[in-house]
């Protein structure tokens, strides 16, 4: 069998198992709750100060029971939850009542995906380039400074760093106003409107993007690519290329950077889940109109359909993105896989 | 007698390793910071019981240096609680959550990783697929749903258990790959042919290679767990009636502390978190540099 096909099958299997594990885990744990989760949630809703009369209470209770798939026989419950999990159909939102929760989540999705894709790509590229460049620097002091900066930045989560950014850029030096961004009407009629939209997007996106890019580019991607590059420089084929007198710039770009990309793509695929988790909190901290802010609202106001939809949406989305990076992109960056017969 | 000698040589080798770690500036910095943090966490036991009461003090007091009122050195919150005592208790609770999670998760990971490294055939593929799928699982969305359902019964002992559901996979993956690479070396074949039992090979030949990585992973899991608890708390899904560094941030954001100019409420937990993460990570980096000489390469030491 062609190694790529084997790799593809293997990754697809892992992706399917990941989704099944996520689904079964949430199913089991929601049922392993000591007291009835539904009654606890109703208690939490009642604490919000809304007066619920008994009839309404019972109606809400059956709705919640049905929502978590707690009605019917165990097999029915399992199948209902399975269907809901994979079709993202958790019924209407409690807050915006007739609107389906899926519709609300999908409305916020492009914002999260946009921020995440741009921030992750920029930080991956900058971090890897910088790591390789710094590994070539002969001056020990300079590379030491970079290394220390990276080691300080790497363990800090995005959302903690974003609180520092908010303190500095909205309180000490008020450059950015941090009033919650609203979703603009996307209506592009003229060049002027397009420009306005672009400016608005840049203003809203820049701070959250900066907090993700600074931490992950100067932290993990820098550290790992520098280490990999130091290893690669001592490989026989690089030493041979240098002895043959090949231009050092060519060696760096074609021999070292190229070979680092393969493990780094795998690393990116593996860390996608944690990048997403960090970005979710960062979005809420900056009141950025993405899934993070929606999730916060849903949790605080007890809108369980929306929260469950966001959970399964992000689990499925991350699984597919990981699969894509680890198969298609891996195929593109790793020539060994393409030329095997 | 023999046992005494053996344990003495073990202790001396551990202390030797510790002293050679002391040569690293990072290790010195990290452990000094950690000592200060631990000392601060212990002073939380001196907190007067009144610190939990609302409006016992004046509200929104800015920090003040007054020898007679040391508990107001960091000011008070909008609920009239002294921030100094809140911060110290929060620090102790967060460290507690981190260490307990690391104790549970990293050891489960070590066990499963060793098993996966030793397993052969279909057992091996099942374990690998299991570990790989847990590794790529995004933790936060899953944890959020769990914490949402469990919100009413959360306790400081329960949160580490929830966090461990996700945290065991990464150590298991790495322990497995280390075990596999050690098992493929020649000396394992030699020792197996010279009649050393399987458990003997596991404990005396494989485990020493794994244990160093296990220690650094233990420290990294503390960092991860404290960060995750903070993330959950920012969404209001931790034990909001208890003080942890995360719930402190939650309440400060909830009362809009920064925009009302109460910077002394938000900054202590943020700075302490950064300090904890950086000092723990410096210790873990210096241990892994010590264990893996190839990493010492270009760093000039």
């Amino acid at each position: 069998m062609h190694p790529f096909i084997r790799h593809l099958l293997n990754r697809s299997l892992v992706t399917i198992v990941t989704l099944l594990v996520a689904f079964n885990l949430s199913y089991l744990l929601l049922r392993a709750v000591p007291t009835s989760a539904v009654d606890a949630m109703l208690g939490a809703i009642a604490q919000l100060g809304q007066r619920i009369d008994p009839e309404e209470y019972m109606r809400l209770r059956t709705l919640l029971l049905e929502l978590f798939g707690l009605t019917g026989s165990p097999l029915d419950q399992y199948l209902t939850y399975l269907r809901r999990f994979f079709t993202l159909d958790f019924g209407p939102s409690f807050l915006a009542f007739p609107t389906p929760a899926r519709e609300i989540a999908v409305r916020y999705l492009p914002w999260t995906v946009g921020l995440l894709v741009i921030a992750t790509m920029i930080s991956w590229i900058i971090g890897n380039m910088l790591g390789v460049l710094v590994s070539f620097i002969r001056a020990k002091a300079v590379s030491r400074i970079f290394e220390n900066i990276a080691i300080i930045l790497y363990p800090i989560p995005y959302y903690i760093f974003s609180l520092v950014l908010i303190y500095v850029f909205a309180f000490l030096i008020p450059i950015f106003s941090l009033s919650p961004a609203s979703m603009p009407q996307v209506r592009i009629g003229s060049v002027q409107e397009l420009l306005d939209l672009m400016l608005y997007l840049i203003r809203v996106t820049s701070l959250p993007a900066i907090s993700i890019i600074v931490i992950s580019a100067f932290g993990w991607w820098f550290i790992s690519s520098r280490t990999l590059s130091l290893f690669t420089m001592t490989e026989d084929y690089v030493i041979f290329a240098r002895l043959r007198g090949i231009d050092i710039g060519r060696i760096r770009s074609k021999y070292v950077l190229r070979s680092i990309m393969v493990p780094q793509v795998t690393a990116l695929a593996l860390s996608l889940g944690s990048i997403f988790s960090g970005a979710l909190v960062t979005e809420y901290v900056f009141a950025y109109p993405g899934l993070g802010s929606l999730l916060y609202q849903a949790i605080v106001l007890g809108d369980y359909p929306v929260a469950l939809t966001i959970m399964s949406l992000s689990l499925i989305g991350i699984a597919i993105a990981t699969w894509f990076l680890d198969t298609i992109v891996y195929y593109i960056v790793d020539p060994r896989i393409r030329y095997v017969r | 007698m023999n046992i005494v000698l053996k344990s003495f040589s073990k202790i001396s080798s551990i202390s030797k390793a510790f002293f050679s770690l002391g040569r690293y500036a990072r290790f010195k910095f990290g452990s000094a910071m950690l000592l200060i943090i631990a000392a601060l966490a212990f002073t939380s036991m001196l907190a007067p019981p009144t610190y939990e009461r609302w409006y016992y003090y004046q509200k929104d007091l800015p920090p003040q240096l007054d020898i007679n009122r040391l508990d107001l050195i960091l000011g008070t919150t909008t609920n009239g609680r002294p921030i100094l005592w809140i911060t110290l208790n929060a620090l102790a609770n967060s460290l507690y959550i981190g260490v307990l999670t690391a104790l549970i998760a990293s050891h489960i990971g070590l066990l499963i990783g060793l098993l996966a490294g030793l397993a052969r055939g279909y057992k091996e593929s099942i374990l690998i697929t299991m570990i790989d799928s847990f590794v790529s699982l995004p933790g936060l969305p899953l944890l959020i749903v769990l914490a949402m359902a469990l919100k009413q019964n959360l306790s400081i002992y329960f949160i580490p258990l929830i966090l461990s559901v996700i945290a065991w996979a990464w150590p298991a993956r790495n322990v497995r790959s280390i075990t596999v690479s050690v098992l493929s070396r020649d000396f394992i074949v030699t020792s197996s042919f010279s009649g050393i039992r399987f458990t003997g090979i596991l404990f005396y030949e494989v485990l020493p290679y794994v244990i160093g990585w296990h220690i650094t992973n233990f420290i990294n899991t503390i960092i991860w767990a404290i960060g995750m608890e903070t993330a959950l708390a920012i969404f209001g899904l931790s034990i909001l009636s208890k003080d942890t560094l995360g719930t402190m941030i939650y309440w400060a954001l909830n009362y809009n502390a920064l925009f009302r100019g109460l910077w002394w409420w938000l900054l202590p937990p943020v700075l302490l978190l950064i300090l904890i993460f950086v000092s723990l990570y410096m210790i873990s980096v210096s241990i892994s540099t010590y264990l893996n000489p190839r990493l010492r390469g270009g760093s000039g030491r």
Side-chain angles (χ1 to χ4, degrees):
Chain A
M1 208 189 326
H2 191 282
F4 177 66
I5 301 208
R6 205 190 301 143
H7 180 70
L8 191 74
L9 286 176
N10 189 19
R11 285 314 305 178
S12 310
L13 180 71
V14 169
T15 307
I16 292 167
V17 174
T18 306
L19 282 173
L20 284 177
V21 162
F23 160 74
N24 282 308
L25 211 61
S26 63
Y27 177 82
L28 281 177
L29 286 162
L30 281 176
R31 269 150 200 77
V33 182
T35 57
S36 162
V38 168
D39 285 325
M41 286 170 194
L42 285 170
I45 292 174
Q47 275 172 15
L48 290 171
Q50 294 161 357
R51 218 184 63 79
I52 306 175
D53 44 82
E55 274 174 35
E56 179 74 359
Y57 183 88
M58 289 317 287
R59 195 187 64 78
L60 206 58
R61 190 162 188 275
T62 31
L63 190 70
L64 273 175
L65 282 174
E66 205 261 328
L67 176 71
F68 284 99
L70 289 169
T71 49
S73 70
L75 186 68
D76 279 350
Q77 292 183 12
Y78 189 80
L79 291 178
T80 317
Y81 191 70
L82 187 71
R83 184 179 56 77
R84 284 170 187 275
F85 186 89
F86 285 102
T87 57
L88 307 175
D89 178 20
F90 284 97
S93 152
F94 286 177
L95 290 174
F97 183 65
T99 330
R102 182 169 53 183
E103 209 178 295
I104 298 178
V106 167
R107 207 186 301 154
Y108 282 80
L109 187 64
W111 288 80
T112 298
V113 172
L115 174 68
L116 210 58
V117 168
I118 291 172
T120 311
M121 271 173 57
I122 292 178
S123 59
W124 192 79
I125 292 169
I126 292 181
N128 280 314
M129 300 279 270
L130 204 69
V132 172
L133 278 180
V134 169
S135 75
F136 299 139
I137 294 178
R138 283 262 167 264
K140 290 262 159 64
V142 179
S143 69
R144 190 92 161 266
I145 289 169
F146 272 103
E147 199 188 349
N148 283 330
I149 291 174
I151 281 179
I152 288 171
L153 284 179
Y154 165 62
I156 303 172
Y158 311 138
Y159 39 95
I160 299 297
F161 187 65
S162 62
L163 286 170
V164 176
L165 281 186
I166 287 184
Y167 177 69
V168 173
F169 288 113
F171 186 74
L172 286 184
I173 324 161
I175 301 173
F176 291 93
S177 77
L178 284 166
S179 53
S182 56
M183 269 196 267
Q185 296 287 324
V186 183
R187 187 164 31 85
I188 300 159
S190 60
V191 183
Q192 181 61 35
E193 274 180 350
L194 185 70
L195 274 178
D196 282 350
L197 185 71
M198 297 290 268
L199 276 177
Y200 179 81
L201 282 180
I202 289 170
R203 198 169 60 78
V204 170
T205 324
S206 51
L207 265 191
I210 287 172
S211 65
I212 296 174
I213 291 170
V214 167
I215 292 289
S216 58
F218 294 93
W220 181 242
W221 298 128
F222 173 79
I223 295 175
S224 56
S225 73
R226 184 173 159 280
T227 316
L228 282 169
S229 161
L230 285 174
F231 282 154
T232 316
M233 289 300 278
T234 58
E235 294 277 358
D236 290 344
Y237 70 91
V238 176
I239 294 172
F240 182 57
R242 288 172 77 171
L243 292 178
R244 274 193 301 168
I246 291 177
D247 177 40
I248 191 76
R250 194 178 158 80
I251 291 180
R252 282 167 188 175
S253 62
K254 297 275 173 186
Y255 286 59
V256 180
L257 197 60
R258 193 68 205 270
S259 78
I260 285 175
M261 275 169 72
V262 179
Q264 289 296 74
V265 164
T266 316
L268 181 64
L270 276 179
S271 61
L272 217 52
S274 62
I275 295 175
F276 174 79
S277 299
L280 215 57
V281 191
T282 311
E283 279 178 14
Y284 160 63
V285 169
F286 284 108
Y288 177 83
L291 286 180
S293 308
L294 182 67
L295 186 62
Y296 176 76
Q297 279 171 30
I299 292 166
V300 168
L301 302 169
D303 196 346
Y304 295 98
V306 171
L308 285 174
T309 311
I310 293 174
M311 181 214 42
S312 42
L313 184 67
S314 43
L315 287 175
I316 295 171
I318 295 291
I320 292 173
T322 307
W323 177 85
F324 175 76
L325 269 179
D326 213 6
T327 55
I328 312 292
V329 179
Y330 191 79
Y331 182 76
I332 296 168
V333 296
D334 192 350
R336 285 171 300 184
I337 255 179
R338 261 178 288 157
Y339 294 115
V340 166
R341 248 171 270 281
Chain B
M1 191 59 210
N2 199 9
I3 296 172
V4 175
L5 264 179
K6 254 189 184 166
S7 58
F8 180 75
S9 75
K10 281 225 174 84
I11 291 170
S12 77
S13 74
I14 290 172
S15 62
K16 215 184 278 171
F18 192 79
F19 278 117
S20 35
L21 272 172
R23 281 178 313 166
Y24 296 109
R26 277 187 201 128
F27 187 77
K28 272 189 261 179
F29 176 84
S31 11
M33 283 300 153
L34 202 64
L35 273 181
I36 294 172
I37 289 168
L40 283 177
F42 273 110
T43 52
S44 72
M45 284 195 274
L46 302 174
T50 48
Y51 99 94
E52 288 199 25
R53 232 189 283 164
W54 284 24
Y55 308 120
Y56 187 75
Y57 298 84
Q58 234 181 307
K59 57 181 200 173
D60 294 344
L61 273 182
Q64 39 201 270
L65 260 178
D66 186 347
I67 297 301
N68 300 320
R69 303 299 304 275
L70 268 182
D71 44 354
L72 293 181
I73 201 163
L74 287 176
T76 61
T77 69
T78 301
N79 304 324
R81 296 177 58 199
I83 288 176
L84 175 70
W85 293 120
I86 299 179
T87 313
L88 292 179
N89 277 281
L91 179 65
N93 284 336
S94 284
L95 285 179
Y96 184 81
I97 290 174
V99 172
L100 200 58
T101 312
L103 276 175
I104 300 170
S106 67
H107 287 99
I108 294 177
L110 179 68
L111 190 71
I112 296 183
L114 281 176
L115 283 179
L118 296 169
R120 289 287 169 270
Y122 74 97
K123 285 180 200 155
E124 188 187 15
S125 4
I126 289 176
L127 279 170
I128 291 174
T129 317
M130 213 50 195
I131 292 170
D132 274 359
S133 50
F134 266 91
V135 165
S136 54
L137 210 61
L140 196 66
L142 208 60
L143 290 173
I144 279 175
V145 169
L146 293 187
M148 232 162 96
L150 297 168
K151 202 175 171 188
Q152 309 291 317
N153 340 62
L154 277 183
S155 74
I156 203 157
Y157 309 103
F158 203 59
I159 287 184
L161 281 179
I162 300 180
L163 293 178
S164 302
V165 172
I166 306 289
W168 65 270
W170 185 248
R173 186 190 163 92
N174 282 284
V175 168
R176 183 196 155 261
S177 62
I178 295 170
T179 313
V180 167
S181 88
V182 173
L183 281 179
S184 68
R185 292 186 201 171
D186 286 343
F187 67 87
I188 296 289
V189 182
T190 317
S191 51
S192 131
F193 278 149
S194 50
I196 300 177
R197 264 177 299 134
F198 173 72
T199 45
I201 292 179
L202 185 64
F203 281 109
Y204 292 104
E205 314 294 339
V206 180
L207 213 54
Y209 283 89
V210 175
I211 215 78
W213 192 86
H214 181 65
I215 293 168
T216 54
N217 173 66
F218 184 85
I219 298 169
N220 292 340
T221 311
I222 299 178
I223 297 176
W224 180 87
I226 294 177
M228 219 34 160
E229 195 272 335
T230 311
L232 283 176
I234 288 177
F235 276 121
L237 287 171
S238 186
I239 336 156
L240 294 180
S241 52
K242 273 253 196 264
D243 293 312
T244 67
L245 292 174
T247 54
M248 248 186 113
I249 294 176
Y250 172 80
W251 287 118
L253 290 178
N254 205 29
Y255 282 97
N256 264 326
L258 202 52
F259 299 104
R260 292 165 52 219
L262 314 177
W263 50 268
W264 57 87
W265 192 357
L266 187 63
L267 280 196
V270 169
L271 293 181
L272 265 180
L273 278 171
I274 292 178
L275 203 63
I276 292 175
F277 292 149
V278 171
S279 57
L280 280 176
Y281 188 63
M282 282 196 168
I283 294 177
S284 110
V285 162
S286 42
I287 293 177
S288 54
T289 319
Y290 170 72
L291 291 170
N292 188 355
R294 279 184 86 182
L295 286 177
R296 291 179 212 158
S299 61
R301 259 168 299 109

